[in-house]
Amino acid sequence: MKRQTRPRPSKRSGSTSTMKQASNPQPNAAVAPESISLQSSVLTFVLIPGAGGSAWVWSRVTGFLREAGHEVIAVDLPGDDETAGLPCYTEVVVDAIGSRSTDVLVAGSLGGFTAPLVCERVPVRELVLVNAMIPDPGETARDWWSHTGALEAQEEAARVGGYGPFDVDRYFLHDVDAEIAAEGESYRRVEADVAFQSPCDFKAWPAVKTRVLAGADDRFFPIGLQRRVARDRLGVEVDVLPGGHLLPLVQPRLVADYLLQTAGPVEAC
């Protein structure tokens, strides 16, 4: 049963165009410089992981951001704890931030459900969603799939791409370096059901600069799905980098460069 169509929200301050691509230009294809240069001021980046809650997924990106002279807080969440859920995740992120000023809050995959809850608790200057679920107020992550038609989009992309039904290796690790995938085995945790049952209890997406970054080769959340959901729910166009769902592991330098280029002096919420 399809969800009733909601009125389209007004556009956020996230851009609808992206950086110029050196070759084979594509609409909204985000391209980063070859190297990261030090910026004049130190920014604080707070990184929220997806399902399982392991901060390790951001480990490569964290290195590049720190190399550029910035502070990085990659938050580890108790994703496998059946007593946790979104309220607990929010508390963990807020506690990790402490009294710091959050210049850029970054959330990947299921972390998109924690991001707006954090924004209601602490001042955030900019929000970046990476291959992320974008919830409506009060929605659960379980319902998000049927509300957005995500499963149908996933199946259609698999049919067109010819890569078959869901499998962890096929959908998450297909473009991850074998050595990195092996390293990640010890960090892999199964997300507890409670997180998918927790309503994302927020009033509205924050009135801050919001960007959506998607992997062109994401098999879990296909690019067409991400574009549609970002337009319908945030009123923004996605920026695109080559790579699959685990973009921070596949293209860490490009992701870090994107975060550095998009970070700027915007109003706090």
Side-chain angles (χ1 to χ4, degrees):
M1 182 173 170
K2 290 189 177 180
R3 194 185 193 193
Q4 291 183 345
T5 303
R6 293 175 177 265
R8 183 172 177 149
S10 60
K11 289 208 170 189
R12 300 281 173 187
S13 55
S15 70
T16 56
S17 62
T18 54
M19 294 164 273
K20 185 177 180 182
Q21 191 164 9
S23 60
N24 299 321
Q26 298 291 333
N28 303 103
V31 174
E34 293 183 358
S35 62
I36 301 173
S37 60
L38 290 174
Q39 295 189 1
S40 58
S41 60
V42 176
L43 300 175
T44 298
F45 292 85
V46 179
L47 313 179
I48 303 175
S54 176
W56 175 82
V57 72
W58 294 109
S59 58
R60 270 70 183 171
V61 174
T62 295
F64 288 122
L65 294 176
R66 287 178 176 155
E67 176 186 311
H70 301 291
E71 181 179 23
V72 184
I73 305 169
V75 185
D76 202 73
L77 298 177
D80 55 352
D81 185 348
E82 283 290 356
T83 66
L86 297 183
C88 177
Y89 296 174
T90 304
E91 290 297 332
V92 171
V93 176
V94 170
D95 288 347
I97 293 171
S99 61
R100 298 176 183 86
S101 172
T102 303
D103 294 295
V104 186
L105 180 67
V106 187
S109 198
L110 180 61
F113 267 75
T114 300
L117 302 178
V118 173
C119 286
E120 288 196 334
R121 296 282 303 278
V122 299
V124 173
R125 297 179 64 192
E126 181 174 347
L127 175 63
V128 180
L129 303 170
V130 181
N131 284 336
M133 300 170 81
I134 301 173
D136 269 341
E139 190 172 44
T140 67
R142 188 179 303 282
D143 288 340
W144 180 90
W145 286 85
S146 59
H147 292 172
T148 62
L151 185 59
E152 293 81 0
Q154 191 182 89
E155 291 173 346
E156 176 61 15
R159 185 190 67 79
V160 173
Y163 47 79
F166 178 79
D167 173 84
V168 171
D169 289 346
R170 185 181 299 136
Y171 277 62
F172 289 104
L173 302 176
H174 62 98
D175 60 345
V176 178
D177 180 88
E179 290 187 5
I180 295 177
E183 179 187 331
E185 285 288 339
S186 62
Y187 297 96
R188 193 181 291 186
R189 301 194 291 257
V190 177
E191 183 68 38
D193 286 340
V194 65
F196 297 100
Q197 298 166 0
S198 300
C200 194
D201 190 15
F202 70 107
K203 295 181 178 64
W205 281 92
V208 297
K209 183 178 181 181
T210 301
R211 294 179 182 270
V212 178
L213 178 63
D217 310 306
D218 191 340
R219 295 179 176 181
F220 196 60
F221 297 152
I223 186 65
L225 168 70
Q226 294 201 53
R227 283 193 169 114
R228 173 168 54 80
V229 174
R231 288 169 186 155
D232 291 347
R233 297 190 168 193
L234 295 179
V236 303
E237 297 296 326
V238 303
D239 295 324
V240 183
L241 286 175
H245 193 67
L246 298 180
L247 199 58
L249 294 176
V250 178
Q251 300 284 10
R253 178 175 286 276
L254 292 183
V255 171
D257 285 350
Y258 174 84
L259 295 177
L260 289 169
Q261 287 195 359
T262 58
V266 294
E267 292 298 321
C269 60

